[in-house]
Structure formats: C-alpha cells, structure tokens
Amino acid sequence: YLAGVAAGMKLIEMYGEDITAEEAKVGYVAAWPYAEVISGYTSWFLGVRSIVPNATMEVRYTNSWYGEAGEMATAEALIEAGCTLISQHADSMGAPTACENANIPNVAYNGATGKNTFVIASRIDWVPYFEYMLDCVMNGTDIADDWTGTLTDGAVKITAVGSAAAAGTQAKLDE
C-alpha cells in the first residue's frame, strides 16, 4: 500500500493535480496469478488510488518468479500500452531495466531498482515468520493457518525512497 502511495505521489508530480485517467494508467508486471501476487498488486493499487482516485491499472503475468527477459518484455509491452509508471511482483532487474531504458518511473519488488527511475521498493522478509513458526514448534503450540506479517513485525518492508520519488513522498509515507 505504501509503495502505491509513493507511486501516486509520483504521478501527481508528473502530471499535476488534475491528472487524467489516461495519464494515470499504471502497469504491473506480475509473476503468477495467485493470492500472494494478487493481494500485493491490489494493495499497491489501493495506495495509488488513495492519491490519484481515477488511476487505472493493467496487469500482465510472466508465469515465472525470475525471468529477466520475460519481465523486461512484459514491462516494455505495458509501457507501449500507455502505462506511465510500472511496478512489479517479480524478482529480476527486467522490469526496472525496461523502465530505465524508457525513462518511466518504477516501483520495484525485493529491492530491484533502476538508477534514475527508481521510486521505492517493497519486499517480504521471511525471518519473522520462521521465528514465529519455530517458537510454535518449540513451545508445542499450533502454527496459525493464516499468519500475516506486517511492517511493525518486520515481515513487510519498504526501502528508502529513490531518486525518482516525488518531493514530499517521505513526509506522506510518514503520515
């Protein structure tokens, strides 16, 4: 969600307060069409829309966790389709590289970045879950079927804002 807020701030910086839906079209390079990825891009898009209510999003799947050429081609296709900012739930530098080449801002995943177009990244840190799971085993307690990590417990993280982030982004995130 917070990475989406940063993306929305960038869109406003790019186009101004009266941004059109066409200008506010964002693209998402998604690995697989299942719950973790879908919930990730849904949360991200809700963050974008908290800043730019008329934003639209196009999602395309690579059906791979790591495929640099496919992720790059997918990002390029989204850019060609009119997306003015790209995010991803894929692990290579493919999408950030496509964004860098096209001078399109990107919101990365798991820390993959582009030099001049990087806005922010989110990532999952599995350590809190493994600690929880091991504590449950050692204490003889059940492991919850639907454990969810948060920013507070460190299971979800965002990076520092990148050089392409809009002015005021960090202050907005701190709210």
Side-chain angles (χ1 to χ4, degrees):
Y1 181 85
L2 292 175
V5 169
M9 296 286 292
K10 183 63 180 180
L11 289 170
I12 294 293
E13 181 184 76
M14 291 166 61
Y15 298 109
E17 293 293 325
D18 295 324
I19 187 171
T20 68
E22 185 176 271
E23 292 166 332
K25 182 179 179 184
V26 296
Y28 201 94
V29 178
W32 296 96
Y34 78 76
E36 178 189 350
V37 177
I38 294 167
S39 65
Y41 70 64
T42 300
S43 175
W44 181 78
F45 188 53
L46 289 172
V48 172
R49 278 211 161 160
S50 75
I51 304 297
V52 183
N54 63 329
T56 60
M57 178 172 68
E58 183 173 337
V59 177
R60 295 193 185 186
Y61 295 98
T62 62
N63 296 312
S64 169
W65 282 121
Y66 188 97
E68 191 159 1
E71 292 166 23
M72 181 182 285
T74 301
E76 290 168 344
L78 288 165
I79 293 166
E80 189 173 311
C83 296
T84 61
L85 187 147
I86 303 293
S87 189
Q88 70 185 66
H89 186 136
D91 292 330
S92 84
M93 283 294 294
T97 299
C99 290
E100 192 75 16
N101 293 342
N103 198 31
I104 297 288
N106 81 297
V107 173
Y109 180 72
N110 279 341
T113 65
K115 278 184 173 177
N116 301 307
T117 59
F118 174 64
V119 175
I120 198 165
S122 60
R123 73 179 184 88
I124 296 170
D125 184 341
W126 288 96
V127 170
Y129 176 72
F130 286 117
E131 289 173 346
Y132 161 77
M133 184 178 58
L134 290 171
D135 285 345
C136 287
V137 170
M138 292 184 329
N139 295 323
T141 57
D142 290 337
I143 298 170
D145 291 335
D146 193 19
W147 184 89
T148 302
T150 65
L151 284 168
T152 303
D153 66 26
V156 178
K157 298 184 179 205
I158 56 172
T159 65
V161 296
S163 61
T169 298
Q170 188 59 58
K172 184 67 173 173
L173 296 176
D174 290 345
E175 282 181 19

